[in-house]
Amino acid sequence: KENKKRKSTENAEKASEEQSSSVVQEAPVKAKKARKKELSEAEKEVAKRESALEQADEEEKQKLVQNKVKQKKSAPHAGTKSGGGVNPATGTAVKQQNANKEDDETVNRRTVFVGNLPVTCTSQELKSLFKAYGQIKSIRFRSLVPAEDTLSKKLAGIKRKVHPNLKVINAYIVFKEECDAIKALKENGTEIASGFHIRVDIASKASSHDNKRSVFLGNLSYDISDAAVREHFSVCGGVVAVRIVRDKKTGLGKGFGYILFENTDAVHLALKLNDSILLGRKIRVKRCGEKWKAPQKGPNRSRGPKGRTDSTSKNRKSSQDSFVGEKVNPLKKRTKPKRLKTVPRGKAGKTK
């Protein structure tokens, strides 16, 4: 019986120990679970913050991409990925600039400048005149002065509402081939209307003007025409072209121009017409490149600055008219002046 009691007590003690151990084990498990819950909530907050930062970064990237697209649209000639060097002053690619210049030069070689056209000239008249030399791509008129300030040059050309003083306009004709533009130079000097001999030249900068066959004209009348200049110098020889420099706003001449002759002999004859009268004005004729010098008033007399006069002439006039006293001789030695005789005081009061 005592053994049975001992066993039962031992069993009871074991059970109590097991229960206490289970309670002890359950306590840290619950603590761990609580910690896990706390960690999961902190991780959620961190994840939310990270996602918000990622969204902000993506929005900034999108804004940068949009700005780059806008810059490319506003500046189409900006530096590309192909490289070639970027000009820091303009911010454009050097290769693209060179390519654009080459394109412009090739177009200019196919373009013909036609000057001294009447205001009434139309594109159909020019096309009928130049279509025999090749295919024409475009015709555009220049040097148009609108009759009103509110009108644009393009609208004034379409409506033909130009300034009343304007009598001459210019045009550019673009051919499809360069050889066709060269053939069209044969029309240089053609009289397209009464008194209007057109001037035809290549628009390219490579075409240089021959100064040896040209003369400069000065002191011209402002309303002079190319025909009047051509007629005045026709006695010298064949005239290739006449160019009167005109104002872009009014269409009036600026008082000077140029003449291109067929040969250099005509230039020598044209120089003899210097100081000749043309439309009531004494014109100046000189070679191209020579500077004009104002004529002096008298022989061997240089014009002095303002506010100063010739001192020698003044001295000469004063010596002849208003000189009083003894002349100074610079070579004469300086001597002491003679002393005046002193008179005694007693004798000074006596009179005869």
Side-chain angles (χ1 to χ4, degrees), residues 306-342:
K306 291 182 179 180
R308 293 185 182 180
T309 55
D310 193 356
S311 59
T312 56
S313 61
K314 273 190 173 183
N315 291 335
R316 286 173 186 171
K317 288 180 182 178
S318 62
S319 63
Q320 291 175 2
D321 301 333
S322 61
F323 180 78
V324 178
E326 185 182 356
K327 290 184 179 180
V328 176
N329 188 0
L331 299 176
K332 188 178 179 181
K333 290 184 179 181
R334 192 172 180 181
T335 57
K336 293 182 180 180
K338 293 181 179 180
R339 293 181 180 179
L340 297 173
K341 291 181 179 181
T342 56

Side-chain angles (χ1 to χ4, degrees), residues 113-127:
F113 170 81
V114 185
N116 196 34
L117 291 169
V119 178
T120 56
C121 183
T122 61
S123 58
Q124 292 296 329
E125 293 177 0
L126 284 179
K127 197 169 185 179

Side-chain angles (χ1 to χ4, degrees), residues 89-326:
T90 58
T92 56
V94 176
K95 278 188 176 180
Q96 287 186 354
Q97 285 183 350
N98 294 333
N100 292 334
K101 285 180 181 179
E102 288 176 1
D103 293 340
D104 293 340
E105 189 62 26
T106 53
V107 173
N108 289 335
R109 288 174 186 172
R110 296 186 286 109
T111 305
V112 169
F113 170 81
V114 185
N116 196 34
L117 291 169
V119 178
T120 56
C121 183
T122 61
S123 58
Q124 292 296 329
E125 293 177 0
L126 284 179
K127 197 169 185 179
S128 62
L129 180 63
F130 287 94
K131 68 180 180 181
Y133 300 103
Q135 186 178 352
I136 296 172
K137 294 190 72 176
S138 65
I139 297 173
R140 59 185 188 273
F141 290 96
R142 290 292 181 268
S143 305
L144 289 167
V145 181
E148 301 173 359
D149 295 336
T150 56
L151 288 174
S152 63
K153 290 184 178 181
K154 187 175 181 180
L155 191 60
I158 294 169
K159 294 184 177 182
R160 290 295 170 180
K161 291 184 178 181
V162 296
H163 200 274
N165 294 331
L166 186 68
K167 297 177 182 178
V168 178
I169 58 174
N170 303 321
Y172 288 94
I173 303 173
V174 182
F175 287 90
K176 188 177 180 180
E177 300 294 336
E178 185 178 345
C179 58
D180 299 336
I182 295 169
K183 292 176 186 176
L185 297 178
K186 295 178 182 178
E187 295 293 333
N188 185 35
T190 303
E191 190 174 5
I192 193 172
S194 59
F196 290 92
H197 295 267
I198 60 174
R199 187 174 76 255
V200 185
D201 194 9
I202 299 292
S204 175
K205 293 180 181 179
S207 61
S208 58
H209 186 74
D210 191 0
N211 290 333
K212 293 181 180 179
R213 295 186 293 121
S214 305
V215 293
F216 170 83
L217 306 177
N219 199 31
L220 297 174
S221 177
Y222 295 128
D223 57 349
I224 197 168
S225 63
D226 293 8
V229 176
R230 184 182 288 269
E231 185 179 356
H232 187 75
F233 286 90
S234 60
V235 294
C236 303
V239 178
V240 177
V242 176
R243 183 194 170 201
I244 305 297
V245 180
R246 301 183 182 277
D247 188 27
K248 292 181 180 180
K249 294 182 179 179
T250 61
L252 294 173
K254 290 187 176 182
F256 63 95
Y258 302 91
I259 301 178
L260 177 64
F261 292 99
E262 291 180 356
N263 50 45
T264 56
D265 296 334
V267 173
H268 296 289
L269 296 174
L271 294 174
K272 294 181 180 179
L273 293 177
N274 185 35
D275 293 337
S276 60
I277 304 298
L278 177 59
L279 295 182
R281 295 177 74 94
K282 188 183 287 188
I283 62 172
R284 299 194 306 269
V285 184
K286 67 180 186 64
R287 293 181 183 273
C288 288
E290 290 182 356
K291 293 183 179 180
W292 179 76
K293 294 181 180 180
Q296 296 179 356
K297 289 186 176 181
N300 299 327
R301 287 187 182 180
S302 60
R303 189 176 179 183
K306 291 182 179 180
R308 293 185 182 180
T309 55
D310 193 356
S311 59
T312 56
S313 61
K314 273 190 173 183
N315 291 335
R316 286 173 186 171
K317 288 180 182 178
S318 62
S319 63
Q320 291 175 2
D321 301 333
S322 61
F323 180 78
V324 178
E326 185 182 356

